[in-house]
Amino acid sequence: MAKLEARGIRKSFGPNEVCRGIDLSVDQGEMVCLIGASGSGKSTLLRCLNLLEPIDDGEIWLDGQDISIPGLDPQPVRQRIGMVFQSYNLFPHMTAVENAMLAPRRVRNMTREALLAGITELFERFGLKDRMEHYPDQLSGGQQQRVAIVRALAMKPEIMLFDEITSALDPELVGEVLDVLRQLREEGMTMVLATHEMGFARELADKVCFLDEGVILEEGPPEQLFGAPMRDRTRAFLKRVL
Ligand code: ADP
Ligand code: MG
């Protein structure tokens, strides 16, 4: 059974149908990369997966449970499926550790001390221990994005969604954020990434999905999708970006 499975997802904004029947299956511990031109529907699909956007049609299954049934409380699902965005959106008036503590303190029934111990461990694990008491404007973009990842991990999600998390960074800061993803993958996290980092996807993805105008036009292991794409549009896209 897949850890997370989308079946026939459809999503429109007004007359604009952005997801036009998307099937996506993510196994436990897999890293799936979504690639495709701007506007192809990657962000919308990710937002649908953790119920930030209501879908118009289709189903989303998490651990064998349909999480897309009408009326289901999205909050517990969003705790199980974490998401990190291109813009890290840390609260500027709170330190890194306060930012990371905020959401878990609201929902998890733990003392501040117990929570702090777990979160300190996360900061350590991702090389940010000495940045915990810093405010966002005292951190580089790469460090802020890493704090945003730690903040999402503080909820102990089972799956992480990443939406172009390196796209706003100066090139020299991209590597340290990709290293965090690499580490998470080694630790067995189940992940879905929308990314423009083709080298990274090629190196580390278990599966790459090429989105085109709201459908997954082609998917496969990276060596196949990058090495021997079958569709003209996939080839044209790769030619443009590589
Ligand atoms: P990608 O992430 O691949 O660039 P998006 O999912 O962001 O693609 O966008 C796909 C299309 O959906 C675009 O045409 C975009 O303008 C539209 N869209 C996305 N979000 C909204 C929204 N909240 N309201 C209206 N249109 C939207
Ligand atoms: Mg996007």
Side-chain angles (χ1 to χ4, degrees):
M1 181 180 66
K3 178 76 184 169
L4 182 67
E5 189 169 356
R7 299 181 191 155
I9 301 298
R10 289 184 177 274
K11 175 70 187 176
S12 297
F13 297 105
N16 184 12
E17 193 173 27
V18 173
C19 296
R20 297 187 297 124
I22 293 186
D23 298 317
L24 178 70
S25 177
V26 186
D27 285 341
Q28 174 78 46
E30 252 190 348
M31 176 189 267
V32 173
C33 287
L34 310 177
I35 64 170
S38 176
S40 57
K42 304 179 296 295
S43 296
T44 303
L45 174 60
L46 289 175
R47 293 169 57 82
C48 288
L49 289 178
N50 81 337
L51 311 186
L52 284 173
E53 291 285 356
I55 57 176
D56 299 329
D57 198 11
E59 294 171 0
I60 303 167
W61 291 72
L62 173 61
D63 273 339
Q65 182 201 357
D66 186 353
I67 57 170
S68 55
I69 46 176
L72 183 113
D73 177 8
Q75 217 50 53
V77 171
R78 285 189 210 132
Q79 288 165 29
R80 296 176 65 191
I81 308 180
M83 185 154 176
V84 180
F85 302 88
Q86 178 177 327
S87 53
Y88 8 95
N89 291 326
L90 299 173
F91 287 111
H93 60 290
M94 297 169 83
T95 61
V97 66
E98 287 167 352
N99 267 283
M101 297 274 284
L102 192 62
R105 283 207 78 188
R106 281 192 189 139
V107 299
R108 281 170 53 204
N109 204 4
M110 279 172 85
T111 63
R112 191 176 194 287
E113 288 65 39
L115 200 55
L116 183 60
I119 286 175
T120 302
E121 197 263 325
L122 280 173
F123 275 92
E124 266 168 13
R125 186 136 56 96
F126 296 102
L128 289 162
K129 179 96 198 297
D130 56 346
R131 296 289 181 268
M132 285 176 64
E133 304 299 336
H134 287 56
Y135 288 89
D137 68 0
Q138 300 170 320
L139 300 171
S140 72
Q143 288 167 340
Q144 289 185 62
Q145 189 58 291
R146 283 153 63 205
V147 170
I149 296 170
V150 163
R151 175 179 58 178
L153 292 173
M155 297 297 279
K156 299 199 181 298
E158 298 159 45
I159 300 174
M160 287 286 289
L161 311 178
F162 297 97
D163 192 2
E164 306 273 5
I165 62 166
T166 59
S167 295
L169 297 175
D170 292 335
E172 72 270 21
L173 302 177
V174 168
E176 66 188 68
V177 173
L178 294 182
D179 283 344
V180 170
L181 298 181
R182 193 172 273 123
Q183 187 178 338
L184 277 174
R185 185 186 188 281
E186 280 166 16
E187 293 171 3
M189 178 60 81
T190 307
M191 300 190 266
V192 185
L193 277 69
T195 187
H196 287 307
E197 296 291 333
M198 298 300 153
F200 181 81
R202 186 167 193 158
E203 179 196 346
L204 284 176
D206 295 289
K207 180 163 75 180
V208 181
C209 301
F210 171 60
L211 268 79
D212 186 56
E213 297 184 350
V215 296
I216 294 179
L217 195 67
E218 180 168 355
E219 67 173 69
E223 53 277 18
Q224 179 196 316
L225 201 113
F226 291 110
M230 288 183 293
R231 309 292 293 259
D232 288 343
R233 293 180 71 93
T234 316
R235 275 195 288 272
F237 171 76
L238 291 174
K239 203 170 161 195
R240 267 204 320 279
V241 298
L242 288 178

